[in-house]
Amino acid sequence: MAPPMSASAFLRALKAEGLTVVEVGDWRGHNRNHKGPWGPVHGVMIHHTVTKGSARTVDICRRGYSGLPGPLCHGVITKDGRVHLVGYGRANHAGLGDDDVLRAVISEKKTFPPDNEANTDGNRHFYGFECENLGDGKDPWPAAQLEAIEKAAAAVCRYHGWNEQSVIGHLEWQPGKVDPRGFTMTAMRKRIRDRLK
């Protein structure tokens, strides 16, 4: 069981991995901790935003929207490859997912079971990165953005001593989710594995 790293350690880890980081407002204290605990943490979850425009995307992920208050993640990865920190602590990004998948993440299994249940609080157990993309399978993923996703996930894994199997897509966690769409998590995990070597 791993306690979440401090906000300062998170920032240092991202920068040490070579990322350009933008600190948005009082991101360190912006969270949903009053709704429940954050931690122990077991992995990193990748999402797409279904939005267009970096400024709008960052604002939505920081503030949330009617029915789902922000922050909606810890970091927003925009198409230019920058990571915008919008919150730290419990965030509304993972929702309820499959306890069998969580066990597979914890044990870093090479394959994940099907996500056919929504019985476990993922907001408690995952770092979350929202990635600017329409999520229609047509909106491109620029090389700089894919590299930033790889680096951000690797930074968290490196800090905690996790391998690439601790990184999942929302679609692998919660039934009915499709994100991220436009690249495969298998390919992204290979990139993360290579980076961690």
Side-chain angles (χ1 to χ4, degrees):
M1 293 199 320
M5 65 180 105
S6 69
S8 294
F10 183 60
L11 178 60
R12 284 195 303 270
L14 295 174
K15 288 184 173 180
E17 208 66 42
L19 288 158
T20 300
V21 180
V22 180
E23 299 181 67
V24 181
D26 180 26
W27 67 273
R28 295 168 187 261
H30 185 47
N31 56 56
R32 304 286 296 160
N33 290 357
H34 64 286
K35 290 294 186 179
W38 187 43
V41 288
H42 299 299
V44 181
M45 191 171 295
I46 307 299
H47 307 261
H48 66 228
T49 58
V50 196
T51 58
K52 184 175 184 178
S54 296
R56 178 174 175 266
T57 296
V58 170
D59 187 61
I60 289 171
C61 289
R62 176 169 168 68
R63 296 177 189 274
Y65 49 87
S66 177
L68 191 66
L72 305 183
C73 59
H74 301 103
V76 182
I77 302 176
T78 49
K79 286 189 176 283
D80 59 6
R82 293 186 297 165
V83 180
H84 304 255
L85 301 183
V86 296
Y88 205 68
R90 186 181 177 90
N92 274 334
H93 73 99
L96 294 176
D98 195 302
D99 59 341
D100 295 326
V101 174
L102 182 61
R103 281 190 287 275
V105 169
I106 291 169
S107 63
E108 297 185 323
K109 290 190 174 178
K110 293 296 180 190
T111 58
F112 299 114
D115 55 337
N116 56 13
E117 296 179 291
N119 59 11
T120 301
D121 177 9
N123 294 334
R124 177 179 184 177
H125 296 300
F126 289 94
Y127 295 90
F129 291 97
E130 286 279 359
C131 307
E132 178 192 353
N133 191 277
L134 291 174
D136 58 5
K138 299 173 187 175
D139 192 15
W141 291 91
Q145 188 179 28
L146 291 172
E147 183 178 11
I149 296 168
E150 168 196 326
K151 286 179 175 180
V156 176
C157 289
R158 196 181 304 282
Y159 179 91
H160 285 292
W162 298 334
N163 72 26
E164 75 281 356
Q165 293 303 125
S166 292
V167 183
I168 64 173
H170 201 190
L171 77 171
E172 295 170 307
W173 170 247
Q174 191 175 61
K177 296 298 182 181
V178 300
D179 56 316
R181 180 182 279 169
F183 65 88
T184 70
M185 286 306 302
T186 299
M188 182 54 67
R189 280 189 286 268
K190 181 180 183 304
R191 292 177 64 140
I192 295 163
R193 181 192 69 205
D194 292 345
R195 175 166 289 277
L196 290 171
K197 283 182 182 176

